[in-house]
Amino acid sequence: MNTASSYHTVNKARRAGVLLHPSSLPGPLDSGDIGHQAYRFIEFLRAHGFKVWQMLPIGPTHEDRSPYQCLSSQAGNPLLISLEWLEDRGWLVRTPIKEGESGEHYRRRCLKEAHHRFQQLADETWREKARLFYHNHGSWLHDYALFIALKGQHHDKPWYEWPVELKQR
């Protein structure tokens, strides 16, 4: 059987699937992530005969958290990083959430702590993985990081409201 007819045969088979963004999964804060609960969800899907898990875009979002208006077509949403996964590797020791602190602010605080601990504790294997990531994604990563830093510096105003020397850089 040639590749084209094989593809056609496979895709004619009936399959069940689900459309669910990872932020809709259960989690200890105000949204789920791509952590332990996501793996449990995959196990559930497999056990019940589902073949497809379709996600909405998982890029970094604006304040409204709409996955349809991501800030980058390349970057992932840092709020989907599993804090439990970081704890499992010893890169995060969670402190209690502060009174009045939002789940998003807490996650961002934890991610900063995990980055700091990664810099101190990561073994050479993980450091090499980070170097490879930076090398393989350098074509967009530096500009995106600069954009996010400038966006924060300008209190999340849209780029077209920034000073001319920045928006026309």
Side-chain angles (χ1 to χ4, degrees), residues 130-148:
R131 279 190 290 272
L132 280 172
F133 180 85
Y134 298 142
H135 174 76
N136 292 338
H137 298 278
S139 63
W140 63 268
L141 186 58
H142 296 106
D143 285 336
Y144 175 71
L146 177 60
F147 169 73
I148 291 300

Side-chain angles (χ1 to χ4, degrees), residues 17-38:
V18 65
L19 171 63
L20 181 81
H21 196 267
S23 62
S24 295
L25 293 168
L29 300 170
D30 55 358
S31 70
D33 55 35
I34 304 175
H36 296 309
Q37 291 298 328

Side-chain angles (χ1 to χ4, degrees), residues 35-46:
H36 296 309
Q37 291 298 328
Y39 283 89
R40 300 300 84 72
F41 183 63
I42 292 167
E43 291 166 354
F44 169 83
L45 293 176
R46 184 165 189 234

Side-chain angles (χ1 to χ4, degrees), residues 24 29 41 49 57-58 74-75 89 102 109 117 120 122 125 165:
S24 295
L29 300 170
F41 183 63
I58 58 171
Q74 302 288 325
R89 279 143 191 84
S102 71
R109 186 165 54 90
R117 288 180 60 90
Q120 293 177 329
T125 301
E165 63 275 7

Side-chain angles (χ1 to χ4, degrees), residues 5-73:
S5 62
S6 172
Y7 176 79
H8 182 69
T9 302
V10 169
N11 286 310
K12 281 183 85 173
R14 293 183 67 118
R15 296 175 285 169
V18 65
L19 171 63
L20 181 81
H21 196 267
S23 62
S24 295
L25 293 168
L29 300 170
D30 55 358
S31 70
D33 55 35
I34 304 175
H36 296 309
Q37 291 298 328
Y39 283 89
R40 300 300 84 72
F41 183 63
I42 292 167
E43 291 166 354
F44 169 83
L45 293 176
R46 184 165 189 234
H48 291 85
F50 287 81
K51 301 292 182 191
V52 178
W53 175 9
Q54 181 178 346
M55 290 184 200
L56 300 172
I58 58 171
T61 60
H62 293 271
E63 294 74 30
D64 66 1
R65 295 190 183 178
S66 170
Y68 296 111
Q69 294 188 30
C70 296
L71 295 169
S72 170
S73 62

